[in-house]
Amino acid sequence: RDVSLTSTEPDKPHSTEDDEDEEDPDEIPGLTWPSAGHIGVKIQFVIEYPFSILRWISIPPCEARWNKWRRFFLVVFPFPAAMMLLIASESWDGFSIPVGAVPMYGLWLILAPFLSGLLFFWSRNVTQLGGGLQAFSAFFAFIMSIAWLNVEANEVVALLESLGLVMGIDTAILGLTVLAIGNSVGDLVADTTVAKKTPAMGVSSCFGSPLLNDVLGLGISLTAYTVANYPSPFSFNIESSAFSNVKLSWIFLGFSLVLSAVVFPAFRFSPPRSYAFVLWFVYLLFMVISVLNEVKVIRVHFQ
């Protein structure tokens, strides 16, 4: 007697990620139309699309995933990357910098095709990015990411200055309020996420990130300024309101750091909720005094 055996085990569904990879292996984040997304995602895609193109053609891809589009962006990136570096270092005036008898962008119009040709032949047999080509891409991707951040930061500051001129608001007040808060939102989200999992690590992140900004940000910028203007000294007016706000910031920062250095170890990095209100009060007090000092309602003077 023939007996047919059939498996009663249900078929295992394929993962969504595997299906997406099989259906669209050439998908490029920011450039592939989000057909499955809601209307808000599609509107955001349309708004960001021009910037996504500029990002992809100026920052070489360095992830292991590889396809014809990523090779294309790697090959074409030298000229757009050079133009972005000019904007980041010399603003729009960088295009008019002469190199002999030709402007800087003209020189790169000549050099970029040769570099693109080298990258084309270097990547012709690549099926998965790795080795020296990936190291090359990662290095320039890091450099170009910094250049993009520099350009974006300059544009944000320029936008705030324009807003201050139009509305008659001092740019120092905008820097103390809008720019300072906006600059710290990313750190706030990251530090909160880390603190929920490991309180000690969250506290370290809260102090480590601003320390990195202060040490590297001030150190690199002041070094670059002094080198570019050598032998002229770096001068500033210690009687100005801007410098008074800087010293006021150092006082409040020092007070909050010393206070936190005592409170956190005392409570084994799990202080009571009331300490959060203390820190909020210190920040709001600093903000009120700084703004009042800037608009000349009160006068904070340091000898």
Side-chain angles (χ1 to χ4, degrees), residues 222-236:
L222 291 177
T223 301
Y225 179 86
T226 53
V227 170
N229 294 275
Y230 180 82
S232 300
F234 176 72
S235 60
F236 52 88

Side-chain angles (χ1 to χ4, degrees), residues 116-236:
S116 295
L118 290 175
L119 290 172
F120 176 82
F121 286 104
W122 193 1
S123 61
R124 66 184 185 277
N125 295 323
V126 174
T127 56
Q128 184 176 2
L129 193 61
L133 183 59
Q134 186 176 29
F136 172 87
S137 299
F139 174 77
F140 280 98
F142 177 75
I143 298 297
M144 294 311 304
S145 298
I146 294 176
W148 267 95
L149 291 174
N150 181 60
V151 171
E152 291 173 356
N154 289 336
E155 293 303 319
V156 169
V157 172
L159 180 62
L160 283 177
E161 290 179 348
S162 302
L163 181 64
L165 291 174
V166 171
M167 303 182 64
I169 302 175
D170 195 303
T171 54
I173 297 178
L174 292 174
L176 285 169
T177 54
V178 179
L179 185 59
I181 295 174
N183 186 51
S184 302
V185 169
D187 289 339
L188 173 64
V189 174
D191 295 341
T192 301
T193 303
V194 173
K196 288 180 178 179
K197 296 183 178 180
T198 309
M201 187 181 299
V203 175
S204 301
S205 178
C206 286
F207 296 122
S209 178
L211 180 63
L212 178 68
N213 292 334
D214 290 339
V215 174
L216 290 185
L218 289 176
I220 294 175
S221 59
L222 291 177
T223 301
Y225 179 86
T226 53
V227 170
N229 294 275
Y230 180 82
S232 300
F234 176 72
S235 60
F236 52 88

Side-chain angles (χ1 to χ4, degrees), residues 79-90:
F79 182 74
M83 297 302 98
M84 181 59 65
L85 288 174
L86 278 179
I87 296 174
S89 59
E90 300 292 339

Side-chain angles (χ1 to χ4, degrees), residues 78-80 82-84 86 92-99 101-113:
F79 182 74
M83 297 302 98
M84 181 59 65
L86 278 179
W92 296 102
D93 296 333
F95 292 97
S96 60
I97 296 177
V99 180
V102 297
M104 180 68 75
Y105 71 88
L107 177 64
W108 275 104
L109 278 173
I110 299 172
L111 295 177

